[in-house]
Each structure stands twice: as structure tokens, then as C-alpha cells.
Amino acid sequence: MCRKGENIRKRKDGRWEARYIKWRDADGKIHYGSLYGKSYNEVKEKRRKKIAETPAYGLIVHKNGRLNSKAAFETVIIMWKQYIRHNIKDSTFSNYEAIIKNHLLPELGTIPIRKITDRQINQLIQKKKQQGLADGTIHIILSILRSILNYAVKEGAYTSELIHYPHINVSRQTVDIMKLSDYYRLEKFLTANMNNFHFGLLICMNTGIRVGELSGLRWEDIKVEQNKLQIRRTVSRIKNLDHLIDPKTGKIPQTILHVGSPKTEYSSREIPLPDKLLFYANQFRQKANTYILTGSEKCMEPRAIQRRYASLLKKCQIPPIKIHALRHQFSCRWVEHGFDTKSLSEILGHTSVKTTLDLYVHIQSDIKRKYMNEMMELQM
């Protein structure tokens, strides 16, 4: 039987009809197309295939002309998403959609462009602060809002007043890292109980790679002869933007596991491997096309890595710390040993040394005290 909201019905002539979105006009009005069949299951399958074959399903806009300032903010969003859809990474687009759905549409969606004011934007910011959102998240919300309104201007829709976007000071968040004793205890456990997952964690601890990059590592990425590790992909779970069908279930899942290129241009990089890791790589090496963490052609997704890592810390009686902190830990150890930050920045895949120093260098208090004592000795 058909379900409410499916847009499938039985006609008076005995045929079944399934409706789908063909396009939206510049004012956001939906225009439907129809598919026909002899049974409910037949038209439902036709509709599913039609949606799966349309990458921008629900976002296509048939433009008979430019926007006007009476257009609602939600209408501009539809057009803006279509405009940027294939110019950015799927993971980035998925993040933008989440921001829009959770923060922008509820506050501004039905408001005409011409009626959006500085006051409304400031009220939006204050509300998000009261909800406890981090400054960094609010900064991203404003950046997306600015991009949407700039696009509206390009299409002929203007706000009644000039918008002054407030500057959000993104404060540096404190990241807890392990005590050195805990760090060495974890490393000792991993080397004494070597398996695929433990070897992957050793790589993470000694190179500072991101969790998504660790998830995407294959054995072919370790170039033993050249003593280096290549970062060529990252794994993340994102919204199923193109309505891809799961071949196992035949259904269209809401999210998919996405294997794509690294975060930025600088994130595609080569990292020199220390002899210790090369030793274990030679001892433990498997087929080139298999993922390091699983030893199979199927990767382990980041959330599973995080859960297994947390379980491992508990087993080693180490206080719970996020796996991303290993990236910070690697950076701290590097700087504490007096190594240059330019090399560290390249290993971490940052666009600049400033990013590395601002985000990933946290010198522990006992190390700072050591530095102070050494300074005093130099003066005597």
C-alpha cells in the first residue's frame, strides 16, 4: 500500500501515478512530473530510479529570469546550492547543508531577501551563543550566510540596507593531551600486541595524520624503498547527496561512507617514515590494495576507529582522550625537541606555519619550566 507523503496514488482509470520534483521556479515553487504504471510497486520503483538518476534532485531551479528582492531566503538557498554543488567537495557540501538546515533556515528561511537586516543577523549570532555554539561554528555560519547573500546580489536580489557582518574572534580551544607516561604505556602496548589496528595507531602517533586519513591508508601508500608514507585519500561519513542505492539492501540510505581526496591541496603530502615504523611495515606488510586498519579491501570508518581507540585506552587504564589529540601530541613532541616548525607544518599538511603554531602547538607546563631553568643557566 502507498504511504502518506510518497506522492503515489491510484488513478480513476486504474493506473498508478507517482509524482516527482522536476524543477523549482525562481520563487521556489515546485513543479512536478508524473510516472505511470500498472501497480504501486512498479511506479515506486520508477520514481526511485528517477531520483537516483538525478544528482541534484530537489535542487534543480528552472530560471525564467533573475531574482527579485521579494524572493525568500530559502529560495535563494536552493539556487545557491545548485550553483556551488559541483564546485566543492561532497564532504564540504554536506557540512554546508547541515549548517543551513540546523541554523539558517529556522531563523531566516521564510524572510524575503529585502527584509534581512543587521539586527536580525546580530540576533541570530546572540541566539547561537546562548545555545552554547563555539565561536568557530558561528564564524562558519556567518561565512555561509555571507556567501548566500552575495549570490543573491549577483542574481539581482538586494537587502534594503547594507549588511555589516560582525567579526567573530575565534578563540583557541584547549586540547587535552596524554601525560608522557600514558603515551609511552600506550605505545608499549601497541608494539607488544601488534595487529592491523595497532600498527595503524602507531602510524598516527608518530606522523600526526588525521583520523580520516588513517582510515583511508592502504598498504600501497607505504613506500618502504623510499622511506615515506603517502597521504592520498580521506574517509568520512556524509549525507547521501546523490541518492545512491545500497547494493546490499536496495534502499537509499541517508548517509554514505565517502572516500575522497584529502582536506586541502596541502593535505595531499608525503611524510618521511622513521625506521621503527619501517621495521614494523616490513614485518607486517599485506596486499597493496588492502586498507592498513582492516587488512581487507573495506576500510574502517572514523567513528569505528574512535570507539575502538577509546576502548583501548580503557584497557590500558589511560584517562579518556580524543584520538585527534594524538595529532596535537605529535606536534608538541616535535616542538619540545627543538625541531623546526616549517617541517612540522608540511608533515601535518597545513597551508602555513602560522596555522600549525596557532592550532597544534601546546607546550606542557613541565617542559616550559625546563626551558626556563635552561635560560637561567645560560645567564649565569
Side-chain angles (χ1 to χ4, degrees):
M1 295 295 292
C2 59
R3 297 178 182 175
K4 185 176 180 181
E6 280 188 323
N7 257 337
I8 298 176
R9 70 185 181 97
K10 190 172 184 179
R11 295 164 50 94
K12 291 182 179 180
D13 60 9
R15 292 185 300 167
W16 284 84
E17 177 187 4
R19 302 177 75 202
Y20 66 96
I21 299 173
K22 290 182 69 175
W23 46 274
R24 298 173 186 257
D25 60 26
D27 292 322
K29 183 179 178 180
I30 298 175
H31 294 258
Y32 291 95
S34 293
L35 300 166
Y36 301 94
K38 295 179 180 179
S39 68
Y40 164 74
N41 288 332
E42 181 184 349
V43 293
K44 183 177 180 180
E45 178 64 15
K46 284 183 178 180
R47 184 176 185 273
R48 181 188 64 75
K49 287 182 178 179
K50 188 70 176 179
I51 293 174
E53 291 168 359
T54 309
Y57 181 77
L59 302 181
I60 298 175
V61 178
H62 184 76
K63 293 173 60 181
N64 295 318
R66 293 167 67 84
L67 283 168
N68 60 60
S69 296
K70 293 181 180 179
F73 182 69
E74 59 188 355
T75 300
V76 180
I77 286 177
I78 293 170
M79 299 176 67
W80 176 79
K81 287 197 293 186
Q82 184 187 11
Y83 176 72
I84 68 166
R85 172 66 180 90
H86 299 293
N87 296 323
I88 59 177
K89 293 172 60 176
D90 286 350
S91 56
T92 303
F93 187 84
S94 181
N95 290 335
Y96 285 178
E97 280 214 314
I99 291 288
I100 290 169
K101 177 182 177 181
N102 296 326
H103 303 294
L104 291 179
L105 278 176
E107 306 299 331
L108 304 173
T110 59
I111 300 175
I113 292 296
R114 71 172 186 270
K115 292 186 177 181
I116 293 179
T117 64
D118 275 347
R119 181 181 178 184
Q120 289 173 320
I121 293 175
N122 282 314
Q123 287 175 343
L124 170 67
I125 293 171
Q126 292 304 316
K127 184 173 182 178
K128 296 307 167 184
K129 286 185 176 181
Q130 290 171 4
Q131 290 174 350
L133 265 65
D135 291 339
T137 303
I138 297 175
H139 176 76
I140 295 172
I141 294 172
L142 277 180
S143 296
I144 296 173
L145 175 60
R146 182 189 290 112
S147 178
I148 294 170
L149 292 183
N150 285 345
Y151 174 80
V153 170
K154 181 181 175 182
E155 293 298 314
Y158 297 84
T159 54
S160 59
E161 63 179 52
L162 183 64
I163 301 297
H164 300 88
Y165 298 96
H167 176 72
I168 304 296
N169 290 318
V170 181
S171 57
R172 174 175 160 181
Q173 294 182 336
T174 302
V175 177
D176 293 327
I177 60 177
M178 290 185 198
K179 295 179 180 179
L180 282 178
S181 57
D182 291 336
Y183 182 86
Y184 291 133
R185 187 190 312 162
L186 175 61
E187 188 175 49
K188 184 178 179 181
F189 179 87
L190 296 177
T191 55
N193 301 274
M194 187 60 66
N195 59 31
N196 288 78
F197 185 75
H198 293 170
F199 177 64
L201 277 186
L202 276 178
I203 293 177
C204 190
M205 294 173 69
N206 289 279
T207 61
I209 62 174
R210 301 177 178 93
V211 178
E213 295 168 347
L214 172 62
S215 177
L217 277 186
R218 294 182 185 144
W219 281 100
E220 63 189 3
D221 298 324
I222 297 181
K223 307 299 182 183
V224 176
E225 300 79 9
Q226 302 170 32
N227 304 330
K228 65 184 181 183
L229 173 70
Q230 291 183 328
I231 303 298
R232 293 292 179 266
R233 69 193 70 81
T234 188
V235 179
S236 57
R237 181 161 287 281
I238 65 171
K239 186 177 178 181
N240 189 0
L241 302 171
D242 297 326
H243 305 280
L244 300 175
I245 300 172
D246 187 331
K248 292 183 178 179
T249 64
K251 298 180 180 179
I252 302 176
Q254 291 186 348
T255 63
I256 58 172
L257 199 60
H258 177 70
V259 181
S261 57
K263 187 176 181 180
T264 66
E265 174 188 353
Y266 293 90
S267 296
S268 294
R269 60 200 188 278
E270 294 181 347
I271 302 174
L273 284 179
D275 293 340
K276 180 172 62 175
L277 289 182
L278 289 170
F279 170 78
Y280 290 120
N282 280 318
Q283 297 291 316
F284 206 59
R285 194 167 190 85
Q286 298 172 34
K287 292 182 180 179
N289 65 338
T290 59
Y291 287 93
I292 287 177
L293 290 181
T294 62
S296 70
E297 295 182 14
K298 183 180 179 180
C299 67
M300 182 183 296
E301 67 172 286
R303 287 185 299 183
I305 296 173
Q306 292 163 356
R307 288 194 295 266
R308 191 165 174 180
Y309 172 74
S311 177
L312 184 61
L313 291 186
K314 188 175 182 180
K315 186 174 183 178
C316 294
Q317 297 183 332
I318 297 174
I321 292 176
K322 293 181 180 180
I323 191 171
H324 187 72
L326 292 179
R327 185 168 166 85
H328 292 261
Q329 189 109 30
F330 173 79
S331 305
C332 290
R333 292 178 64 212
W334 185 278
V335 173
E336 287 168 1
H337 283 83
F339 304 148
D340 72 287
T341 51
K342 174 62 176 174
S343 296
L344 174 61
S345 181
E346 292 177 356
I347 289 172
L348 294 178
H350 287 157
T351 55
S352 68
V353 174
K354 183 178 184 302
T355 302
T356 307
L357 293 174
D358 288 347
L359 298 179
Y360 286 95
V361 177
H362 317 280
I363 308 300
Q364 293 180 312
S365 58
D366 54 342
I367 299 296
K368 291 178 183 177
R369 187 170 184 276
K370 176 186 174 184
Y371 289 164
M372 296 296 288
N373 284 329
E374 290 178 355
M375 284 290 294
M376 287 291 292
E377 291 176 3
L378 290 174
Q379 295 174 9
M380 295 177 65

